[in-house]
Amino acid sequence: MAVGGLWVSLLLLAGIVAAVALCRLAARRRPGALLAEMLSTFQICACTNELCLLAAAELQPRAALTLTYGFTVLHGWTLAGSTCNPCGTLQQLWAAAVPLKAGGLRIGAQFAAAVLARGFMHLVWSLEIAEPHSGALWQRCSDPLQTTEAQAFFIELLFSAVFQLAVLQLHTIHPNLRVHFIALLITMLVYAGGNLTGAIFNPALAFSLHPYCFYDKFLSYSLVYWIAPCLGKFLKLSKVFFFLPELDQMTRYLGIIIIGP
């Protein structure tokens, strides 16, 4: 891929982040918690759509992982206080942290933002302002599942549980430092399972990235990208460790890498 096309895509991503930041700033001046959640989810979905397109355009793996880490840090800095993940909202509902109606509206806003982000990126790609955008509109289901459905289900469940465990362990660290640890963990998970499932563990993001796949194989993709991440969030870690010793070893290994022994 030409370097010029990469820089155009990076400028586009910077523009999306800046526009969302301005909109979120305006939303704070009025009761706009739902709007802020929608804008935050829109930013993550739009940016990830563009990053996946760059990765598919023969971007070097090291560069793709670097961009994954960098933009995860950027999202953590600019979207503080937002969930951006229906699984996280369901977890708040389960803990009675938010009312049922508010939680349902928030999940609806997240999926609406995912659809809007995909539509917006399609509009941008139709302009073909960068080399990777050429022909992007004609791509249908990219078939991100490169393993069996059972293995893909377990991978997404496992990654969601590992991520949740890391977040719980890192909650006492200063936010400016914690965002780097979380970004590093997400990058590691993408490196470990990105070639098998995409390592998404976010139902709204998965629907934004692969809408045609959901249309073609709704049951399979909903199980892998909706049900599995939610189960990973809800499973009690003590029970997971009892039934899945390999998960215990993996999370302990990741914990040592992330926060030290």
Side-chain angles (χ1 to χ4, degrees):
M1 182 181 65
V3 176
L6 174 61
W7 283 109
V8 171
S9 291
L10 291 178
L11 287 175
L12 171 63
L13 292 170
I16 292 172
V17 173
V20 170
L22 290 175
C23 292
R24 279 171 54 88
L25 183 61
R28 289 178 183 175
R29 299 177 181 177
R30 62 194 68 179
L34 193 63
L35 177 60
E37 184 69 29
M38 191 172 182
L39 289 169
S40 301
T41 308
F42 176 90
Q43 174 178 316
I44 287 182
C45 291
C47 291
T48 308
N49 268 280
E50 183 69 13
L51 289 175
C52 288
L53 191 64
L54 287 175
E58 299 182 358
L59 190 66
Q60 293 295 327
R62 183 178 300 178
L65 290 173
T66 300
L67 289 175
T68 299
Y69 173 81
F71 276 93
T72 303
V73 171
L74 185 60
H75 294 325
W77 282 339
T78 59
L79 305 179
S82 297
T83 307
C84 307
N85 190 334
C87 296
T89 304
L90 285 174
Q91 191 175 27
Q92 293 175 345
L93 285 172
W94 182 263
V98 296
L100 180 61
K101 181 180 179 180
L105 289 174
R106 187 175 299 178
I107 293 174
Q110 290 163 348
F111 275 100
V115 174
L116 288 175
R118 182 69 178 188
F120 172 76
M121 294 311 299
H122 268 218
L123 177 62
V124 172
W125 294 341
S126 68
L127 302 176
E128 297 187 0
I129 59 177
E131 180 184 345
H133 298 170
S134 179
L137 292 179
W138 303 104
Q139 296 179 4
R140 305 298 291 182
C141 178
S142 58
D143 196 15
L145 297 182
Q146 298 299 313
T147 182
T148 64
E149 293 180 8
Q151 290 177 338
F153 181 91
F154 176 76
I155 289 171
E156 288 293 312
L157 184 148
L158 173 65
F159 283 4
S160 181
V162 169
F163 179 77
Q164 181 63 21
L165 174 61
V167 170
L168 292 175
Q169 290 182 333
L170 297 172
H171 75 281
T172 58
I173 300 179
H174 192 277
N176 290 337
L177 191 58
R178 182 169 64 242
V179 68
H180 287 279
F181 289 142
I182 293 176
L184 177 60
L185 174 62
I186 290 176
T187 305
M188 291 171 59
L189 294 177
V190 170
Y191 175 78
N195 63 323
L196 298 176
T197 66
I200 302 174
F201 49 91
N202 181 330
L205 178 58
F207 187 69
S208 183
L209 292 177
H210 308 294
Y212 297 115
C213 298
F214 278 92
Y215 300 153
D216 296 339
K217 302 177 181 178
F218 178 79
L219 180 59
S220 298
Y221 278 79
S222 60
L223 284 173
V224 172
Y225 291 111
W226 289 358
I227 304 301
C230 291
L231 287 178
K233 289 282 188 180
F234 283 107
L235 284 177
K236 296 293 184 181
L237 292 176
S238 59
K239 294 182 180 179
V240 174
F241 292 161
F242 178 79
F243 289 109
L244 302 173
E246 62 272 19
L247 176 58
D248 187 20
Q249 297 175 2
M250 182 175 182
T251 50
R252 292 178 185 276
Y253 175 70
L254 289 174
I256 293 174
I257 294 177
I258 300 296
I259 61 178

